[in-house]
Amino acid sequence: MNYIAILKGKKLAATPQRLEIINLLSKYGHLNIDELYKLLVDKFPSLSLATIYKNIHIMTEKDFLAEVQIPNKKNVYELIKKAHSHVVCSKCGEIVDVDIDTTALFDAATQVSHFKLQTSSIVFNGTCPKCA
Ligand SMILES: [Zn+2]
Ligand SMILES: [Zn+2]
């Protein structure tokens, strides 16, 4: 994927730090700010945590990255993909995307609550195959 073109399309400068953040997220899938910082500081020793926060914030605001809230854990970030749910390993903390249709659940929640629902975030907890 041509991330430089996508960044430019969203009026975001393709700085080396941003490209490396994208690189890391496409490699690892989901990372929190601390994990990103640890991985980035090797390559950019002068990089501050505040700069990473700023970059992540603007890229999330422009719908280039998505923030994922995992109960009892720090928020993680991922590249924008089509809507999906997550499974989380309670032993090693691994987060994996699951592509299942949650439309029926969404409709049921709308019916029961009478809310006008916009989004949903579904997280399943358990043990991954490596830890089982
Ligand atoms: Zn595990
Ligand atoms: Zn995900």
Side-chain angles (χ1 to χ4, degrees):
M1 212 178 298
N2 187 349
Y3 290 118
I4 296 178
I6 300 173
L7 279 172
K8 286 192 175 149
K10 291 184 179 285
K11 306 240 183 305
L12 287 165
T15 63
Q17 287 98 326
R18 285 179 187 165
L19 290 173
E20 188 58 19
I21 289 172
I22 293 163
N23 205 8
L24 291 168
L25 289 176
S26 73
K27 183 172 168 194
Y28 293 101
H30 310 82
L31 293 168
N32 66 37
I33 298 264
D34 293 339
E35 290 165 336
L36 274 167
Y37 179 69
K38 265 185 221 143
L39 292 162
L40 283 162
V41 85
D42 274 346
K43 216 167 174 175
F44 307 99
S46 62
L47 193 65
S48 72
L49 202 54
T51 306
I52 299 181
Y53 266 107
K54 246 187 271 169
N55 274 313
I56 293 287
H57 182 76
I58 182 102
M59 288 198 283
T60 306
E61 212 161 54
K62 298 253 182 181
D63 282 334
F64 189 84
L65 301 183
E67 187 180 75
V68 184
Q69 295 175 358
I70 307 284
N72 307 317
K73 289 182 69 143
K74 288 186 175 158
N75 290 350
V76 294
Y77 297 85
E78 65 183 350
L79 299 171
I80 285 274
K81 306 166 218 180
K82 88 189 235 286
H84 59 273
S85 303
H86 291 98
V87 290
V88 182
C89 177
S90 51
K91 289 200 175 145
C92 69
E94 180 166 13
I95 302 165
V96 177
D97 291 340
V98 278
D99 208 349
I100 48 172
D101 189 355
T102 54
T103 317
L105 193 60
F106 200 89
D107 292 345
T110 303
Q111 234 170 25
V112 171
S113 68
H114 304 290
F115 273 45
K116 192 178 179 324
L117 300 175
Q118 272 104 26
T119 58
S120 69
S121 158
I122 300 168
V123 178
F124 301 90
N125 295 289
T127 317
C128 78
K130 270 177 274 165
C131 295

